[in-house]
Amino acid sequence: MDELSITRWPSLLPDVPETGALRKVAARLARNPLTNLSDEARKAAAALQVEPERAALLVTEQPNGVTLLSEVAVPGGSLYVIECQAWTRMLFPLYQPRIAALSLAVPPPKLLDDQNLDGPLAQARCEFESPKDLADLVRETVVNTLRVPKADYSDSIMQRGVSEPLLVIMVRVTFADDSPSRVLPVVVDGISRLSSAAKTRTGKTETGAADSVVADLLRDPNSLRRAIRDEITAYNAGYHRGLTDQVVRVGQAATVPVRLVVGARTGNTLEVNP
Protein backbone atom coordinates (compact mmCIF):
# COMPACT_ATOMS: atom_id res chain seq x y z
CA MET A 1 0.00 0.00 0.00
CA ASP A 2 2.91 2.35 0.69
CA GLU A 3 3.88 2.24 -3.00
CA LEU A 4 0.40 3.13 -4.23
CA SER A 5 -1.42 6.44 -4.15
CA ILE A 6 -4.93 5.73 -2.86
CA THR A 7 -7.23 8.05 -4.80
CA ARG A 8 -10.55 6.84 -3.38
CA TRP A 9 -10.48 5.61 0.19
CA PRO A 10 -12.76 2.77 1.24
CA SER A 11 -15.54 3.29 3.76
CA LEU A 12 -17.43 1.13 6.22
CA LEU A 13 -19.33 -1.70 4.56
CA PRO A 14 -22.97 -2.63 5.24
CA ASP A 15 -23.76 -5.99 6.74
CA VAL A 16 -24.96 -8.79 4.49
CA PRO A 17 -28.73 -8.15 4.24
CA GLU A 18 -31.24 -10.27 6.13
CA THR A 19 -33.22 -12.81 4.16
CA GLY A 20 -36.46 -10.84 4.54
CA ALA A 21 -35.04 -7.93 2.55
CA LEU A 22 -33.81 -10.32 -0.14
CA ARG A 23 -37.19 -12.03 -0.39
CA LYS A 24 -38.74 -8.63 -1.09
CA VAL A 25 -36.44 -8.19 -4.11
CA ALA A 26 -37.27 -11.66 -5.43
CA ALA A 27 -41.01 -11.08 -4.94
CA ARG A 28 -40.96 -7.79 -6.85
CA LEU A 29 -38.94 -9.37 -9.63
CA ALA A 30 -41.72 -11.96 -9.92
CA ARG A 31 -44.43 -9.29 -10.18
CA ASN A 32 -42.79 -7.00 -12.74
CA PRO A 33 -44.07 -7.86 -16.25
CA LEU A 34 -40.79 -6.75 -17.84
CA THR A 35 -38.75 -9.31 -15.90
CA ASN A 36 -38.64 -12.99 -16.73
CA LEU A 37 -36.32 -15.04 -14.56
CA SER A 38 -36.98 -18.45 -13.06
CA ASP A 39 -37.81 -18.61 -9.36
CA GLU A 40 -34.33 -19.92 -8.55
CA ALA A 41 -32.70 -17.18 -10.63
CA ARG A 42 -34.78 -14.49 -8.90
CA LYS A 43 -33.56 -15.74 -5.53
CA ALA A 44 -29.94 -15.78 -6.73
CA ALA A 45 -30.30 -12.28 -8.21
CA ALA A 46 -31.68 -11.02 -4.91
CA ALA A 47 -28.98 -12.73 -2.85
CA LEU A 48 -26.12 -10.82 -4.43
CA GLN A 49 -27.62 -7.41 -3.57
CA VAL A 50 -25.63 -5.13 -1.25
CA GLU A 51 -28.53 -2.63 -1.12
CA PRO A 52 -31.72 -4.70 -1.41
CA GLU A 53 -34.01 -1.76 -0.65
CA ARG A 54 -32.70 0.07 -3.70
CA ALA A 55 -32.91 -3.05 -5.87
CA ALA A 56 -36.50 -3.66 -4.74
CA LEU A 57 -37.41 -0.10 -5.75
CA LEU A 58 -35.78 -0.48 -9.17
CA VAL A 59 -37.70 -3.65 -10.00
CA THR A 60 -41.07 -2.44 -8.70
CA GLU A 61 -43.68 -1.89 -11.40
CA GLN A 62 -44.59 1.80 -11.32
CA PRO A 63 -48.31 2.80 -11.38
CA ASN A 64 -47.71 5.45 -14.07
CA GLY A 65 -46.21 2.87 -16.44
CA VAL A 66 -42.70 4.32 -16.22
CA THR A 67 -40.09 1.64 -15.60
CA LEU A 68 -37.00 2.12 -13.44
CA LEU A 69 -35.26 -0.71 -15.29
CA SER A 70 -32.58 0.30 -17.78
CA GLU A 71 -33.24 -0.90 -21.33
CA VAL A 72 -30.35 -2.15 -23.45
CA ALA A 73 -30.99 -2.59 -27.17
CA VAL A 74 -29.65 -5.83 -28.64
CA PRO A 75 -30.22 -7.40 -32.08
CA GLY A 76 -33.88 -8.36 -32.28
CA GLY A 77 -35.09 -6.87 -29.03
CA SER A 78 -34.16 -5.48 -25.62
CA LEU A 79 -32.60 -6.52 -22.36
CA TYR A 80 -33.77 -4.99 -19.09
CA VAL A 81 -31.15 -4.49 -16.39
CA ILE A 82 -30.83 -3.05 -12.93
CA GLU A 83 -27.72 -1.13 -11.98
CA CYS A 84 -26.75 -2.10 -8.48
CA GLN A 85 -23.95 -3.04 -6.09
CA ALA A 86 -23.15 -6.74 -5.71
CA TRP A 87 -21.03 -8.78 -3.34
CA THR A 88 -17.95 -9.63 -5.39
CA ARG A 89 -17.63 -13.10 -3.88
CA MET A 90 -21.08 -14.05 -5.22
CA LEU A 91 -20.07 -13.47 -8.87
CA PHE A 92 -18.29 -15.98 -11.09
CA PRO A 93 -16.69 -16.15 -14.55
CA LEU A 94 -17.16 -18.81 -17.21
CA TYR A 95 -16.32 -17.90 -20.80
CA GLN A 96 -13.46 -15.42 -21.25
CA PRO A 97 -12.86 -14.25 -24.84
CA ARG A 98 -9.44 -12.84 -23.90
CA ILE A 99 -8.09 -16.36 -23.32
CA ALA A 100 -9.99 -18.07 -26.14
CA ALA A 101 -6.74 -18.96 -27.92
CA LEU A 102 -5.47 -20.98 -24.95
CA SER A 103 -5.93 -24.72 -24.70
CA LEU A 104 -7.89 -25.16 -21.49
CA ALA A 105 -8.28 -28.46 -19.66
CA VAL A 106 -12.04 -27.87 -19.56
CA PRO A 107 -13.45 -26.27 -22.73
CA PRO A 108 -15.83 -23.37 -22.04
CA PRO A 109 -19.45 -24.46 -22.45
CA LYS A 110 -21.83 -22.88 -24.90
CA LEU A 111 -24.26 -20.57 -23.13
CA LEU A 112 -27.74 -21.11 -24.55
CA ASP A 113 -31.06 -19.37 -23.99
CA ASP A 114 -33.03 -20.87 -21.11
CA GLN A 115 -36.80 -21.25 -20.92
CA ASN A 116 -39.60 -22.71 -18.84
CA LEU A 117 -43.25 -23.59 -19.50
CA ASP A 118 -44.10 -19.89 -19.86
CA GLY A 119 -41.52 -19.34 -22.60
CA PRO A 120 -38.01 -17.81 -22.95
CA LEU A 121 -36.26 -16.49 -19.87
CA ALA A 122 -33.80 -13.62 -19.38
CA GLN A 123 -31.11 -16.11 -18.36
CA ALA A 124 -28.86 -18.70 -19.95
CA ARG A 125 -28.13 -22.38 -19.44
CA CYS A 126 -25.13 -24.63 -19.92
CA GLU A 127 -23.93 -28.09 -18.95
CA PHE A 128 -20.73 -29.51 -17.50
CA GLU A 129 -19.74 -33.12 -17.02
CA SER A 130 -19.44 -32.58 -13.26
CA PRO A 131 -19.08 -29.87 -10.58
CA LYS A 132 -15.33 -30.53 -10.69
CA ASP A 133 -15.23 -29.51 -14.34
CA LEU A 134 -17.08 -26.30 -13.48
CA ALA A 135 -14.60 -25.56 -10.68
CA ASP A 136 -11.61 -26.36 -12.91
CA LEU A 137 -12.83 -24.03 -15.66
CA VAL A 138 -13.45 -21.17 -13.21
CA ARG A 139 -9.95 -21.67 -11.74
CA GLU A 140 -8.32 -21.68 -15.19
CA THR A 141 -10.33 -18.66 -16.28
CA VAL A 142 -9.23 -16.54 -13.32
CA VAL A 143 -5.57 -17.60 -13.47
CA ASN A 144 -5.20 -17.13 -17.22
CA THR A 145 -7.15 -13.87 -17.26
CA LEU A 146 -4.78 -12.37 -14.70
CA ARG A 147 -1.81 -13.50 -16.80
CA VAL A 148 -3.03 -11.73 -19.95
CA PRO A 149 -0.91 -8.58 -20.51
CA LYS A 150 -2.64 -5.50 -19.09
CA ALA A 151 -5.60 -7.52 -17.77
CA ASP A 152 -4.50 -7.47 -14.11
CA TYR A 153 -6.13 -4.37 -12.63
CA SER A 154 -5.43 -5.26 -9.00
CA ASP A 155 -3.20 -2.23 -8.37
CA SER A 156 -5.83 0.07 -9.86
CA ILE A 157 -8.56 -1.53 -7.74
CA MET A 158 -6.37 -1.17 -4.65
CA GLN A 159 -6.14 2.55 -5.42
CA ARG A 160 -9.78 3.35 -6.17
CA GLY A 161 -11.96 0.24 -6.23
CA VAL A 162 -13.99 -0.89 -9.23
CA SER A 163 -15.78 1.96 -10.98
CA GLU A 164 -17.00 0.42 -14.28
CA PRO A 165 -20.00 -1.92 -13.90
CA LEU A 166 -19.74 -5.62 -14.71
CA LEU A 167 -22.45 -7.11 -16.92
CA VAL A 168 -24.01 -10.10 -15.13
CA ILE A 169 -26.51 -12.70 -16.33
CA MET A 170 -28.05 -15.58 -14.44
CA VAL A 171 -26.97 -19.00 -15.75
CA ARG A 172 -28.57 -22.34 -14.92
CA VAL A 173 -25.79 -24.92 -14.76
CA THR A 174 -26.61 -28.61 -15.11
CA PHE A 175 -24.29 -31.61 -14.85
CA ALA A 176 -24.13 -34.77 -16.94
CA ASP A 177 -23.25 -36.84 -13.85
CA ASP A 178 -26.66 -35.95 -12.33
CA SER A 179 -25.23 -33.66 -9.66
CA PRO A 180 -27.83 -31.07 -8.55
CA SER A 181 -28.20 -28.15 -10.93
CA ARG A 182 -27.63 -24.60 -9.72
CA VAL A 183 -28.09 -21.01 -10.87
CA LEU A 184 -25.01 -18.79 -10.87
CA PRO A 185 -24.60 -15.03 -11.36
CA VAL A 186 -22.09 -15.09 -14.23
CA VAL A 187 -20.02 -12.13 -15.38
CA VAL A 188 -20.08 -11.90 -19.19
CA ASP A 189 -18.35 -8.53 -19.48
CA GLY A 190 -15.83 -7.53 -16.84
CA ILE A 191 -14.09 -10.83 -16.05
CA SER A 192 -10.73 -9.06 -15.84
CA ARG A 193 -12.17 -6.68 -13.23
CA LEU A 194 -13.74 -9.57 -11.32
CA SER A 195 -10.53 -11.63 -11.33
CA SER A 196 -8.46 -8.59 -10.36
CA ALA A 197 -10.86 -7.80 -7.51
CA ALA A 198 -10.31 -11.33 -6.15
CA LYS A 199 -6.55 -10.80 -6.31
CA THR A 200 -6.86 -7.41 -4.61
CA ARG A 201 -9.14 -8.66 -1.85
CA THR A 202 -7.03 -11.70 -0.98
CA GLY A 203 -3.58 -10.22 -1.59
CA LYS A 204 -2.57 -13.55 -3.12
CA THR A 205 -0.96 -14.67 -6.38
CA GLU A 206 -3.00 -15.41 -9.51
CA THR A 207 -3.35 -19.02 -8.39
CA GLY A 208 -4.26 -18.07 -4.84
CA ALA A 209 -6.90 -15.61 -6.06
CA ALA A 210 -8.36 -18.29 -8.35
CA ASP A 211 -8.46 -20.79 -5.49
CA SER A 212 -10.40 -18.30 -3.36
CA VAL A 213 -12.99 -17.81 -6.14
CA VAL A 214 -13.38 -21.58 -6.51
CA ALA A 215 -13.71 -22.01 -2.75
CA ASP A 216 -16.65 -19.59 -2.81
CA LEU A 217 -18.11 -21.32 -5.88
CA LEU A 218 -18.17 -24.64 -4.03
CA ARG A 219 -19.83 -23.27 -0.89
CA ASP A 220 -23.57 -23.61 -0.44
CA PRO A 221 -25.38 -20.23 -0.48
CA ASN A 222 -25.83 -20.04 3.29
CA SER A 223 -22.19 -20.87 3.93
CA LEU A 224 -21.09 -18.20 1.46
CA ARG A 225 -23.33 -15.60 3.11
CA ARG A 226 -21.79 -16.45 6.49
CA ALA A 227 -18.26 -16.21 5.09
CA ILE A 228 -18.96 -12.79 3.57
CA ARG A 229 -20.64 -11.61 6.77
CA ASP A 230 -17.62 -12.71 8.83
CA GLU A 231 -15.26 -10.91 6.45
CA ILE A 232 -17.32 -7.70 6.60
CA THR A 233 -17.52 -7.83 10.41
CA ALA A 234 -13.73 -8.22 10.64
CA TYR A 235 -13.25 -5.47 8.06
CA ASN A 236 -15.46 -2.94 9.85
CA ALA A 237 -13.74 -3.66 13.18
CA GLY A 238 -10.35 -3.20 11.50
CA TYR A 239 -11.51 -0.04 9.75
CA HIS A 240 -12.14 1.64 13.11
CA ARG A 241 -8.63 0.69 14.26
CA GLY A 242 -6.91 2.08 11.18
CA LEU A 243 -6.47 1.45 7.47
CA THR A 244 -3.99 -1.39 7.15
CA ASP A 245 -3.08 -3.01 3.86
CA GLN A 246 -5.60 -5.83 4.38
CA VAL A 247 -8.38 -3.45 5.42
CA VAL A 248 -7.91 -1.40 2.25
CA ARG A 249 -7.85 -4.58 0.13
CA VAL A 250 -11.21 -5.76 1.42
CA GLY A 251 -12.74 -2.30 1.42
CA GLN A 252 -11.86 -1.66 -2.21
CA ALA A 253 -12.89 -5.07 -3.55
CA ALA A 254 -15.71 -6.49 -1.40
CA THR A 255 -18.40 -4.97 -3.62
CA VAL A 256 -18.59 -4.07 -7.30
CA PRO A 257 -21.10 -2.19 -9.46
CA VAL A 258 -23.03 -4.46 -11.81
CA ARG A 259 -25.58 -4.28 -14.58
CA LEU A 260 -27.75 -7.28 -13.83
CA VAL A 261 -29.95 -8.65 -16.62
CA VAL A 262 -33.44 -9.37 -15.25
CA GLY A 263 -35.61 -9.18 -18.37
CA ALA A 264 -35.47 -9.91 -22.09
CA ARG A 265 -37.97 -9.29 -24.86
CA THR A 266 -38.61 -10.56 -28.40
CA GLY A 267 -35.89 -12.19 -30.38
CA ASN A 268 -33.14 -11.70 -27.81
CA THR A 269 -30.44 -14.27 -27.40
CA LEU A 270 -28.05 -14.77 -24.55
CA GLU A 271 -25.95 -17.25 -26.51
CA VAL A 272 -22.20 -16.89 -26.10
CA ASN A 273 -20.20 -19.17 -28.35
CA PRO A 274 -16.70 -20.16 -27.24
Side-chain angles (χ1 to χ4, degrees), residues 135-151:
D136 287 347
L137 177 62
V138 169
R139 181 180 287 105
E140 283 193 293
T141 298
V142 174
V143 169
N144 287 297
T145 295
L146 290 170
R147 290 176 179 171
V148 171
K150 299 183 179 179

Side-chain angles (χ1 to χ4, degrees), residues 218-237:
L218 296 178
R219 296 177 190 268
D220 66 76
N222 288 332
S223 174
L224 180 54
R225 280 171 52 82
R226 288 193 298 270
I228 295 173
R229 177 173 284 122
D230 289 345
E231 182 175 58
I232 299 310
T233 299
Y235 165 81
N236 284 337

Side-chain angles (χ1 to χ4, degrees), residues 88-145:
T88 309
R89 293 175 64 177
M90 291 186 180
L91 305 175
F92 303 98
L94 286 181
Y95 172 64
Q96 168 59 295
R98 299 182 75 166
I99 62 172
L102 298 178
S103 178
L104 303 177
V106 179
K110 187 175 184 179
L111 297 185
L112 302 171
D113 291 335
D114 201 8
Q115 60 183 356
N116 60 15
L117 295 177
D118 296 323
L121 297 169
Q123 60 193 64
R125 59 182 171 86
C126 67
E127 182 175 81
F128 287 86
E129 283 297 317
S130 67
K132 180 181 182 301
D133 278 2
L134 168 63
D136 287 347
L137 177 62
V138 169
R139 181 180 287 105
E140 283 193 293
T141 298
V142 174
V143 169
N144 287 297
T145 295

Side-chain angles (χ1 to χ4, degrees), residues 2 31 41 79 147 152 168 172 176 185 188 219:
D2 293 338
R31 292 198 292 266
L79 299 178
R147 290 176 179 171
D152 183 349
V168 177
R172 179 168 61 90
V188 293
R219 296 177 190 268

Side-chain angles (χ1 to χ4, degrees), residues 207-261:
T207 301
D211 286 343
S212 72
V213 174
V214 170
D216 287 337
L217 173 72
L218 296 178
R219 296 177 190 268
D220 66 76
N222 288 332
S223 174
L224 180 54
R225 280 171 52 82
R226 288 193 298 270
I228 295 173
R229 177 173 284 122
D230 289 345
E231 182 175 58
I232 299 310
T233 299
Y235 165 81
N236 284 337
Y239 184 93
H240 287 298
R241 292 193 295 268
L243 294 180
T244 63
D245 180 86
Q246 182 56 29
V247 167
V248 173
R249 287 184 179 281
V250 174
Q252 300 287 52
T255 69
V256 289
V258 301
R259 306 185 79 201
L260 177 63
V261 176

